[in-house]
Amino acid sequence: MVHFSDFDSRNYPTVDVRSGYAQWVDSYEQTVEDTMDLAVLDRLATPDWTEVRRAADLGCGTGRTGAWLRGRAAPDLVLDGVDLTPEMLAAAKAKGAHDSLTEADVADTGLPEGRYDLAVSSLIDEHLADLGPLYREAWRLVRPGGRFVLVGLHPYFIMAAGMPTHFTSAAGEDVAITTHIHLVSDHLGAGLAAGWTLTEMAEAVVDDTWIALKPKWEKYRSHPVSAAYVWRKQV
């Protein structure tokens, strides 16, 4: 097991996930770049988003991923969101992309079994100490033939930058949210153990688009920064 503490170069004060995102909610969408996750989803060859009629948005946050999916899925999409943080759910409710929003852990959502064409999760896996429960819950939710798409920070980037997920507090202090490193092999192991079949993977690197957004990242040019995994529940 790889521990983030072995790479931490910031040593920010650290808070738990629920507390951190409750504080970050007001500036979250001004901080997180679409290039990190939504642009990676746009690159995927599968699934065919237009065929998604029912989806579970696991760790839905402010509703960014839900709004993105709403613009690409079938017009009659039913979209259920789950998040641990009430403040994030309130922001998602205001955005209006979801049909239902539930305060729950992504490993135990309470959503109905085998009802979804798609489960999707964006930028949450680094907060999970163990990936297994997430992959198993997604498996429970998705119908045979359905997909689970996960996109998150690349483990290499977390290690190379030594940078946890963090935000600037109202007092102007940099605050980290509990961060874990999961190698690519950890994802593969958890997904396969849950019964999934990997059908696609994409890795994004720091490129000109990123440098324009974050000039200080020039030193990370061509380093992998985020990754997406597409899993299928075989019939």
Side-chain angles (χ1 to χ4, degrees), residues 79-96:
L79 180 59
D80 297 326
V82 173
D83 201 273
L84 189 65
T85 307
E87 291 82 356
M88 289 296 229
L89 288 168
K93 183 177 181 180
K95 192 174 260 74

Side-chain angles (χ1 to χ4, degrees), residues 19-20 22-27 167-175:
S19 299
Q23 296 176 61
W24 193 5
V25 62
D26 289 338
S27 61
F167 64 96
T168 302
S169 71
E173 180 183 33
D174 289 318
V175 179

Side-chain angles (χ1 to χ4, degrees), residues 68-81:
W68 179 91
L69 184 59
R70 178 69 67 183
R72 287 157 179 79
D76 58 348
L77 172 69
V78 175
L79 180 59
D80 297 326

Side-chain angles (χ1 to χ4, degrees), residues 26-68:
D26 289 338
S27 61
Y28 182 80
E29 294 204 11
Q30 290 73 52
T31 307
V32 176
E33 302 289 352
D34 290 353
T35 309
M36 181 68 74
D37 56 340
L38 302 184
V40 184
L41 293 176
D42 269 326
R43 288 174 45 197
L44 296 174
T46 56
D48 183 344
W49 306 107
T50 64
E51 294 183 352
V52 176
R53 287 181 166 78
R54 184 156 190 165
D57 185 1
L58 306 181
C60 63
T62 59
R64 289 174 63 253
T65 308
W68 179 91

Side-chain angles (χ1 to χ4, degrees), residues 105-140:
D105 192 294
V106 294
D108 185 16
T109 64
L111 297 177
E113 182 173 350
R115 297 282 299 277
Y116 296 91
D117 303 313
L118 171 74
V120 62
S121 179
S122 180
L123 301 181
I124 69 163
D125 65 285
E126 77 271 22
H127 299 310
L128 305 176
D130 181 3
L131 294 174
L134 171 62
Y135 276 96
R136 290 192 294 270
E137 178 67 354
W139 171 268
R140 187 187 71 81

Side-chain angles (χ1 to χ4, degrees), residues 3 11 16 55 106 108 137 179 195 202 204 221 228:
H3 298 282
N11 297 307
D16 64 88
V106 294
D108 185 16
E137 178 67 354
T179 298
R221 182 181 288 276

Side-chain angles (χ1 to χ4, degrees), residues 4 8-16 20 23 164-169 171-179:
F4 175 70
D8 187 2
S9 64
R10 304 299 180 93
N11 297 307
Y12 296 149
T14 301
V15 297
D16 64 88
Q23 296 176 61
T165 297
H166 64 282
F167 64 96
T168 302
S169 71
E173 180 183 33
D174 289 318
V175 179
I177 300 175
T178 302
T179 298

